[in-house]
Amino acid sequence: MTVGTAGRSLTSELNRLANGGTYPLMTATKDTTGAANAWAGTTGRGLLAALNIKADANRQPSAFKGLNAVCNELASTTGLSAVVALRSISS
């Protein structure tokens, strides 16, 4: 199982997830929001919107979770920072 690397940034981990679980070449990386949208299968959404839709396609904006909470939900973890939670997801 491929998981993220300690010390990598949130943007790097989102790019890894958007790329099927492997870190893309630097020339192919997206910004944080672009990588979140690519992973979530959405376009033009903000970071929190893309991640919340990835977690629950029917979640309404009024019910969006914060960054740490939604990343923990996606990773099936609790109490971790967003980047640490995302590192635990294989793809």
Side-chain angles (χ1 to χ4, degrees), residues 2-29:
T2 303
V3 294
T5 303
R8 294 274 190 144
S9 68
L10 178 68
T11 302
S12 184
E13 292 305 326
L14 286 167
N15 271 283
R16 177 183 64 81
L17 293 166
N19 194 48
T22 59
Y23 295 106
L25 297 174
M26 289 299 294
T27 56
T29 58

Side-chain angles (χ1 to χ4, degrees), residues 9 16 19 24 27 39 47 50 55-56 60 64 68 72 78-79 81-82:
S9 68
R16 177 183 64 81
N19 194 48
T27 56
W39 185 40
L47 174 63
D56 180 350
Q60 297 301 307
F64 281 178
N68 288 341
N72 275 279
T78 58
S81 70

Side-chain angles (χ1 to χ4, degrees), residues 36-37 39-66 70-71 73-74:
N37 275 286
W39 185 40
T42 58
T43 56
R45 304 283 184 156
L47 174 63
L48 286 179
L51 293 175
N52 273 279
I53 290 167
K54 173 77 174 168
D56 180 350
N58 296 312
R59 186 171 292 157
Q60 297 301 307
S62 61
F64 281 178
K65 296 180 178 182
V70 73
C71 289
E73 179 182 2
L74 289 163

